[in-house]
Amino acid sequence: MLFLILLFAIDFLLKWIATSLRNKKLNIFSLSLVFIGILFFYGTYITGFLQTLINENFTVLVRGRTILEFLVIICILLIIILREKTITYQYFNIFLIFFCIIILASSLKNNKSRKVEKFQNNYIHISKKDSSTKPVLLIISDEYTSPDGLYNIYKDSSIYEFSKQLAKSGWITENSFYSYELSTIHSISSLFNFNLSINNNYSKQRIADLGSSKLMHAAIADSFKQKAVKIINFGIFHIGETSYLSHLYRYPTSFWEEILTNTIFFKIQDNTGDLNKSGFANSFFPTEVHNKYIFKHLQDTSNKIKQTNTFIYTHLFMPHSPMQFTPGFPLRFQNNLTNYFAYWNFTNSKLTQLLTGLAKENRYRIILTGDHGFRNDNRINPHYTFTALYGFDQGSIEKIKSVQDLGSLINGYFDIKKN
């Protein structure tokens, strides 16, 4: 109701302003409103469509901000050209009326047919052999594909070098580890709820529903509360009440966010570092800022942990595109297998440094895993990723059959707090 009242208030205010304007000024005002409205509500779809069109036809990736700037210039030129013309919005209004009726009918139909399903989890009981309690680090390497999948294409044994080095250092590695999900939010939310993906319908759930019901009310967070486990979040999703480090994956957490989620507002905010001055540079990618922060601060933060009952969720947005980590890896626009493989190798080199430091004093149990594999080449099965575990016994690991089962392993290694 408040939202509807606000819409009517804005409509009344704009009409009141329009009545005090005449001719040229009225045209400028009304055209500006129309163009601002189109860009604000549909700018995300327009820029996305044009990006795809240019990329497919000219194999060039143009950033959304560049397309948006171009669209703004076109709108300004049209305003200048039409400012003294006689303008009627009759056809535009007729279009909007039909458009609104169709959208409303479609929304009501979809809402009626959409059932809120209760998914049975696949919780696996884990009994750890080691009686000690250590902080557990979960490190997600986004879209990290299986070494086996890459080897089948490149036939290069050096692909396994990262896995072999970890194995020599006491890690247990799985070079082809299954993920039920090919969407990041479905994969991680299922993991935090002890594998809901055994039901095939889970992959069809709306992102908005997952954010509010499966991330902000994650089952593993409830379990951690009972066990007095402290959560440190270096990720991109909520774990219960603990918020993300960076909102790289947009999902609504309130009514107003749901209203604005598909507008250009959050696209601009997210891709400029919350409207930071440096964020308006064309070379700025929030994913790169996020990744660099983790490599710089994760080990220091971990070293300051005093409570052994601590869980750290870390989410690296690599080797997922955009493929950039300056100066070591300059931006590569094309999201093809050649560029991905180069970034995959670069990611391994960065992970080697990070994991060597974290495992040095044997203070933590660590899980490194992808959420799924590379999805842009039909020669690779994206359901297979790579997983490496440190500080967990072989018997516990053998019970875990998928990425989404890792939540059970993590939970099993924390004891219920004794009074």
Side-chain angles (χ1 to χ4, degrees):
M1 288 302 297
L2 285 172
F3 177 64
L4 289 174
I5 291 169
L6 179 64
L7 287 179
F8 282 118
I10 292 172
D11 184 57
F12 176 80
L13 176 64
L14 295 177
K15 285 182 177 177
W16 178 76
I17 294 172
T19 55
S20 62
L21 301 173
R22 290 186 179 181
N23 301 331
K24 184 167 70 174
K25 288 184 178 179
L26 178 59
N27 281 350
I28 293 172
F29 178 72
S30 60
L31 284 168
S32 298
L33 287 179
V34 168
F35 291 141
I36 289 170
I38 291 172
L39 291 177
F40 182 77
F41 289 105
Y42 304 105
T44 299
Y45 304 102
I46 296 170
T47 55
F49 169 75
L50 291 176
Q51 272 183 317
T52 304
L53 190 68
I54 294 169
N55 191 24
E56 288 179 351
N57 288 280
F58 303 100
T59 62
V60 175
L61 180 62
V62 181
R63 293 206 66 180
R65 62 182 62 193
T66 304
I67 294 174
L68 187 61
E69 289 166 359
F70 180 70
L71 291 174
V72 169
I73 292 171
I74 290 177
C75 291
I76 292 171
L77 290 174
L78 286 173
I79 290 171
I80 293 171
I81 294 169
L82 300 173
R83 69 187 187 280
E84 295 183 353
K85 304 287 185 181
T86 301
I87 299 173
T88 175
Y89 292 100
Q90 179 182 351
Y91 296 113
F92 185 62
N93 288 336
I94 291 171
F95 163 76
L96 286 178
I97 289 169
F98 280 105
F99 181 74
C100 289
I101 291 171
I102 292 167
I103 291 298
L104 181 62
S106 176
S107 297
L108 291 173
K109 181 182 177 182
N110 290 339
N111 193 56
K112 188 176 180 181
S113 62
R114 185 167 60 89
K115 297 178 181 178
V116 178
E117 292 190 51
K118 290 185 178 180
F119 295 97
Q120 181 66 41
N121 67 38
N122 186 42
Y123 181 77
I124 300 168
H125 180 72
I126 302 290
S127 297
K128 63 174 182 173
K129 293 180 180 179
D130 187 351
S131 60
S132 65
T133 300
K134 297 179 180 180
V136 176
L137 279 69
L138 170 66
I139 302 173
I140 303 294
S141 185
D142 206 303
E143 203 170 22
Y144 192 107
T145 209
S146 159
D148 289 346
L150 290 171
Y151 181 79
N152 289 337
I153 296 171
Y154 290 101
K155 306 299 181 184
D156 182 355
S157 60
S158 67
I159 286 171
Y160 293 102
E161 191 60 33
F162 176 59
S163 176
K164 288 178 180 178
Q165 288 298 324
L166 289 178
K168 287 179 182 178
S169 300
W171 292 68
I172 298 173
T173 60
E174 298 284 348
N175 289 324
S176 281
F177 200 58
Y178 187 74
S179 174
Y180 284 91
E181 304 293 348
L182 300 183
S183 153
T184 300
I185 193 169
H186 288 83
S187 179
I188 303 304
S189 63
S190 179
L191 186 157
F192 286 156
N193 288 276
F194 308 123
N195 193 356
L196 303 176
S197 302
I198 53 172
N199 187 317
N200 293 332
N201 287 332
Y202 189 72
S203 60
K204 302 173 185 176
Q205 297 305 293
R206 291 172 65 239
I207 288 174
D209 293 337
L210 296 179
S212 59
S213 64
K214 304 305 180 190
L215 291 171
M216 298 178 74
H217 295 89
I220 200 169
D222 294 337
S223 181
F224 285 165
K225 247 183 197 178
Q226 294 176 354
K227 296 180 177 184
V229 175
K230 179 184 177 183
I231 300 172
I232 298 175
N233 197 334
F234 271 62
I236 62 175
F237 298 120
H238 282 82
I239 310 175
E241 297 173 357
T242 309
S243 189
Y244 43 77
L245 172 65
S246 307
H247 209 172
L248 300 181
Y249 201 113
R250 177 62 63 176
Y251 54 91
T253 58
S254 67
F255 171 77
W256 291 105
E257 282 196 8
E258 181 139 21
I259 294 294
L260 294 172
T261 288
N262 294 317
T263 67
I264 201 71
F265 174 78
F266 283 129
K267 285 290 182 184
I268 294 174
Q269 184 187 61
D270 295 342
N271 286 284
T272 57
D274 289 330
L275 306 181
N276 189 289
K277 185 179 178 181
S278 63
F280 285 91
N282 199 50
S283 60
F284 177 87
F285 285 91
T287 50
E288 182 186 24
V289 175
H290 171 83
N291 292 333
K292 286 184 173 181
Y293 183 91
I294 289 173
F295 283 114
K296 185 176 181 180
H297 295 286
L298 178 60
Q299 188 168 343
D300 290 341
T301 301
S302 302
N303 290 339
K304 293 175 184 176
I305 294 174
K306 295 180 180 178
Q307 181 180 325
T308 56
N309 257 28
T310 301
F311 170 68
I312 302 181
Y313 157 52
T314 302
H315 198 121
L316 284 166
F317 213 83
M318 57 193 301
H320 193 290
S321 63
M323 302 173 193
Q324 175 174 309
F325 199 103
T326 55
F329 198 96
L331 177 64
R332 297 196 184 185
F333 284 107
Q334 294 301 311
N335 190 20
N336 55 37
L337 186 60
T338 301
N339 289 338
Y340 172 83
F341 184 41
Y343 199 42
W344 185 87
N345 280 317
F346 177 80
T347 300
N348 287 344
S349 67
K350 298 298 293 182
L351 285 171
T352 298
Q353 299 171 33
L354 178 66
L355 298 178
T356 300
L358 289 172
K360 190 174 182 181
E361 297 179 4
N362 195 26
R363 292 180 57 195
Y364 318 107
R365 306 185 200 278
I366 310 169
I367 301 172
L368 168 68
T369 186
D371 53 341
H372 53 75
F374 185 59
R375 296 169 295 190
N376 272 38
D377 194 299
N378 57 18
R379 292 173 294 174
I380 287 179
N381 186 341
H383 280 286
Y384 287 95
T385 183
F386 170 78
T387 299
L389 305 102
Y390 182 84
F392 298 88
D393 66 80
Q394 184 70 46
S396 298
I397 293 172
E398 287 174 357
K399 294 182 179 181
I400 304 304
K401 304 300 181 184
S402 72
V403 170
Q404 289 70 41
D405 291 329
L406 289 171
S408 295
L409 181 65
I410 294 165
N411 188 62
Y413 271 74
F414 288 115
D415 300 317
I416 296 174
K417 188 179 179 182
K418 297 177 181 179
N419 296 325

